[in-house]
């Protein structure tokens, strides 16, 4: 069997937008992905449906999978001929043990490639408003591991002469770091900054000096993952903060998903500084429709599409059978603006179902099995144009996504999203009911709110008009957190 190849990829420190283009493409083509605890699980959504996802996470208090086991997995999966991705938080070459893992491949003659990532000290610092270098404040910069077992190996005399020093994972060692820096000549009034969960929406920063930073951090109960910065350049933070001034900074959202397409709601919240978890993760597969069936469907007076996926599935089937879209004489209707946009992207226009007349033959085009169709869509004939299903690999990942800071707001975009979060959240062993009791709840419209009430919950916010834009405005402008 031909040997496979291993790609070591830096995923960046948290913000999923910091992955490189080359790294993203490698994830999309991977057959096996070994991933760490600290990377954003959202990056795994780019993996193919048949890609094997293997969690290799460790925490400061548990051993988890050993480094030797990780090395063995990389070797064995590559020897089976797979295209393997080793996905690491930050940059794989900065305290990422890429050297050890790559050596194990080299010993077996397995080819590998390293795709650098944005390391956390640089990204987290800038997200906290501190550039790593500046011609007036910092012309030198050092990165140091902050773990206890390495303190004896640190050249403290050398470090005190460097303008800006970043300690990785050094919260537990902060008292020792302060003591050593001051004892080796660093002034006690040197600015210091600790950044936890840098570049995530849950990022938290504590600023002080070497003299008082330990007490300040202890008072805020910060822990790892964190970066500790020491240097005069921190004084620029007041002028250069940008991320922490976004309107939804510090707020954590859970958006219940019902489709494979990117959520406009989630994207809007993310752009405003919020940290957004989306669940469940969906995939879609083609449904074979014969040419004779398709031609018969075009004779209906009205066609109602229930989702963007149903739009693309139906139109892709027409394309595959070389049937010209211009042969569609039916009036087209949709349940959502997202579906309307999907049709517009294919050169067709549609109206919302609220404006659909009762007269005329009706074809409902959906993405679910006929037995699961929603009666509210109408009593016309039904065809499933695509098979949409939940990606159950993410049932294991979902509880880890919820770790750390509690979700403050749960958002539902339609009735189906309520059912799906309840069903698959509980299947992932998450106490969805308990989560909803502690969070604010937003719904996009009255029908969604009614479905939520069926489960015993009421919404805290609902826009006057059922639109993503108005719901986001409510979130930004109302004190619901």
């Amino acid at each position: 069997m031909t040997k496979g190849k291993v790609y070591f990829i830096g995923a960046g420190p948290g913000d999923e937008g910091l992955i490189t283009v080359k790294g993203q493409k490698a994830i999309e083509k991977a057959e096996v992905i070994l991933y760490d605890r600290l990377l954003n699980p959202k990056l795994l959504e780019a993996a193919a449906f048949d890609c094997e996802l293997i969690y290799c996470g460790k925490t400061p208090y548990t051993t988890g999978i050993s480094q030797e086991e990780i090395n063995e997995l990389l070797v064995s999966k590559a020897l089976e001929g797979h295209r393997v991705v080793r996905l690491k938080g930050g940059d794989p070459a900065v305290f990422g043990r890429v050297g050890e893992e790559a050596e194990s491949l080299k010993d077996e003659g397995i080819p590998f490639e390293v795709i650098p990532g944005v390391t956390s000290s640089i990204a987290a610092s800038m997200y906290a408003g501190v550039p790593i270098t500046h011609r007036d404040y910092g012309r030198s910069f050092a990165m140091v591991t902050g773990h206890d077992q390495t303190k004896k190996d640190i050249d403290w005399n050398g470090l005190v002469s460097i303008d800006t020093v970043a300690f990785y994972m050094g919260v537990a060692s902060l008292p020792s770091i302060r003591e050593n820096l001051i004892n080796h000549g660093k002034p006690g009034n040197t600015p210091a900054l600790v950044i936890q969960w840098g570049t995530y929406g849950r990022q938290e920063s504590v600023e002080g000096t070497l003299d008082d930073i330990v007490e300040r951090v202890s008072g805020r109960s910060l822990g790892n993952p964190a970066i500790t910065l020491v240097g005069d350049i921190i004084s620029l933070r007041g002028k250069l903060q940008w991320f922490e001034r976004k309107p939804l900074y510090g707020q954590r959202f859970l958006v219940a998903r019902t489709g494979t397409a990117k959520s406009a709601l989630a994207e809007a919240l993310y752009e405003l500084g919020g940290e957004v978890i989306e669940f469940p993760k969906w995939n879609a597969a083609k449904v074979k429709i014969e040419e004779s069936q398709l031609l018969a469907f075009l004779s209906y007076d009205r066609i109602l599409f229930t989702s963007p996926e149903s739009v693309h599935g139906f139109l892709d089937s027409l394309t595959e059978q070389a049937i010209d879209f211009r042969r569609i004489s039916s009036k087209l209707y949709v349940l959502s603006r997202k579906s309307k946009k999907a049709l517009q992207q294919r050169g067709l226009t549609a109206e919302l179902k609220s404006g659909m007349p009762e007269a005329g033959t009706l074809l409902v085009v959906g993405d679910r099995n006929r037995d699961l169709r929603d009666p509210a869509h109408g009593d016309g004939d039904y065809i499933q144009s695509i098979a949409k299903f939940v990606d159950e690999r993410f049932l294991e990942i979902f509880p880890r996504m919820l770790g750390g800071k509690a979700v403050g707001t749960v958002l539902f975009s339609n009735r189906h999203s309520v059912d799906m979060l309840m069903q698959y959240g509980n299947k992932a062993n998450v106490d969805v009911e308990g989560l909803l009791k502690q969070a604010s709840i937003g719904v996009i419209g009255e029908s969604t709110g009614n479905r939520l009430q069926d489960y015993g919950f009421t919404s805290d916010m609902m826009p006057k008009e059922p639109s993503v834009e108005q719901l986001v405005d409510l979130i930004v402008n109302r004190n619901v957190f």
Side-chain angles (χ1 to χ4, degrees):
M1 179 181 290
T2 304
K3 292 178 181 177
K5 184 174 181 178
V6 176
Y7 295 80
F8 295 95
I9 301 176
D15 184 337
E16 66 266 25
L18 296 179
I19 186 76
T20 64
V21 173
K22 190 171 184 179
Q24 178 81 6
K25 289 181 178 178
I27 292 171
E28 292 169 359
K29 296 177 180 179
E31 296 172 312
V32 179
I33 297 178
L34 283 71
Y35 65 99
D36 284 345
R37 176 177 73 97
L38 295 180
L39 63 86
N40 191 330
K42 197 168 182 63
L43 294 170
L44 298 172
E45 293 189 3
F49 178 66
D50 57 354
C51 176
E52 182 181 7
L53 305 179
I54 302 175
Y55 179 59
C56 298
K58 303 184 183 75
T59 71
Y61 309 105
T62 61
T63 55
I65 185 170
S66 70
Q67 187 60 54
E68 291 73 21
E69 289 173 308
I70 293 173
N71 295 350
E72 290 171 4
L73 274 170
L74 290 171
V75 169
S76 64
K77 294 297 182 181
L79 288 178
E80 290 172 6
H82 295 299
R83 187 183 182 99
V84 182
V85 159
R86 179 72 172 103
L87 195 56
K88 293 171 171 283
D91 182 284
V94 181
F95 307 120
R97 307 187 78 164
V98 69
E100 300 168 48
E101 295 178 7
E103 280 184 314
S104 67
L105 300 174
K106 185 67 174 177
D107 292 342
E108 297 290 339
I110 297 170
F112 63 87
E113 187 172 326
V114 181
I115 301 175
V118 183
T119 189
S120 55
S121 63
I122 294 174
S125 300
M126 198 65 255
Y127 270 56
V130 180
I132 285 301
T133 63
H134 189 285
R135 63 181 181 177
D136 295 329
Y137 295 92
R139 293 175 177 265
S140 58
F141 168 59
M143 294 181 284
V144 185
T145 179
H147 286 302
D148 285 342
Q149 62 268 30
T150 62
K151 289 201 297 290
K152 62 181 180 296
D153 301 322
I154 293 175
D155 178 9
W156 295 103
N157 285 318
L159 282 184
V160 297
S161 65
I162 292 173
D163 295 322
T164 309
V165 183
F167 293 90
Y168 283 64
M169 300 296 187
V171 173
S173 304
L174 197 54
S176 176
I177 289 170
R178 173 176 69 180
E179 178 184 358
N180 278 288
L181 286 173
I182 292 176
N183 288 346
H184 288 82
K186 204 75 170 175
N189 64 355
T190 303
L193 177 68
V194 176
I195 311 158
Q196 182 185 45
W197 289 110
T199 79
Y200 279 97
R202 73 189 104 154
Q203 174 179 303
E204 189 169 355
S205 305
V206 174
E207 187 175 353
T209 65
L210 281 178
D211 282 333
D212 64 12
I213 192 64
V214 173
E215 292 72 26
R216 288 175 179 265
V217 169
S218 178
R220 295 274 289 276
S221 301
L222 260 65
N224 288 323
I227 291 290
T228 299
L229 285 183
V230 178
D232 292 336
I233 203 167
I234 294 168
S235 62
L236 290 172
R237 172 172 150 80
K239 296 180 181 179
L240 302 182
Q241 279 181 281
W242 60 275
F243 180 62
E244 294 174 355
R245 291 177 177 165
K246 287 193 170 189
L248 297 183
Y249 163 74
Q251 299 178 23
R252 208 167 189 219
F253 301 88
L254 171 59
V255 175
R257 291 174 74 171
T258 59
T260 59
K262 286 186 177 181
S263 165
L265 176 58
E267 187 69 19
L269 299 172
Y270 165 77
E271 289 296 330
L272 292 170
E275 181 179 351
V276 186
I277 299 168
E278 296 179 76
F279 182 82
K281 164 73 167 61
W282 294 82
N283 282 304
K286 290 182 179 180
V287 171
K288 179 69 174 177
I289 306 177
E290 299 297 334
E291 180 182 9
S292 58
Q293 289 180 290
L294 288 168
L295 291 171
F297 294 151
L298 301 186
S299 65
Y300 281 79
D301 298 316
R302 301 168 294 158
I303 298 179
L304 172 66
F305 295 96
T306 66
S307 67
E309 291 86 359
S310 67
V311 168
H312 293 303
F314 186 78
L315 298 182
D316 287 346
S317 294
L318 291 178
T319 301
E320 289 172 7
Q321 298 289 356
I323 299 173
D324 195 323
F325 288 5
R326 288 174 295 184
R327 297 183 66 175
I328 302 175
S329 59
S330 316
K331 287 284 291 182
L332 306 182
Y333 298 91
V334 292
L335 294 182
S336 68
R337 289 177 174 83
K338 190 181 292 186
S339 297
K340 185 175 182 178
K341 185 177 180 180
L343 278 164
Q344 289 173 337
Q345 290 171 342
R346 306 293 288 265
L348 298 170
T349 59
E351 297 179 20
L352 292 174
K353 181 179 180 291
S354 57
M356 186 174 73
E358 294 294 329
T361 54
L362 171 65
L363 174 69
V364 179
V365 181
D367 53 30
R368 296 192 237 172
N369 185 281
R370 183 184 304 273
D371 297 336
L372 299 175
R373 63 174 295 187
D374 189 337
H377 296 163
D379 58 359
D381 294 331
Y382 181 85
I383 180 68
Q384 182 183 11
S385 67
I386 199 163
K388 191 172 67 174
F389 52 93
V390 169
D391 188 338
E392 298 205 357
R393 294 175 302 176
F394 285 81
L395 298 181
E396 174 194 348
I397 296 170
F398 183 45
R400 292 199 295 271
M401 295 172 74
L402 294 173
K405 185 175 181 177
V407 169
T409 307
V410 181
L411 299 169
F412 298 98
S413 58
N414 55 51
R415 291 173 58 89
H416 188 45
S417 67
V418 179
D419 295 329
M420 292 300 95
L421 181 61
M422 293 294 186
Q423 178 182 344
Y424 285 97
N426 290 324
K427 196 171 183 179
N429 294 318
V430 169
D431 180 10
V432 178
E433 290 81 4
L435 190 156
L436 290 173
K437 288 177 182 177
Q438 299 298 318
S440 294
I441 303 175
V443 297
I444 206 160
E446 186 175 350
S447 174
T448 308
N450 291 339
R451 187 58 181 147
L452 187 66
Q453 288 179 352
D454 293 340
Y455 287 93
F457 295 94
T458 56
S459 62
D460 299 291
M461 51 187 162
M462 180 177 69
K464 292 180 180 179
E465 296 294 331
S467 72
V468 168
E469 294 77 15
Q470 288 203 19
L471 181 56
V472 171
D473 284 344
L474 275 181
I475 293 168
V476 171
N477 295 317
R478 287 180 56 185
N479 183 23
V480 295
F481 306 98

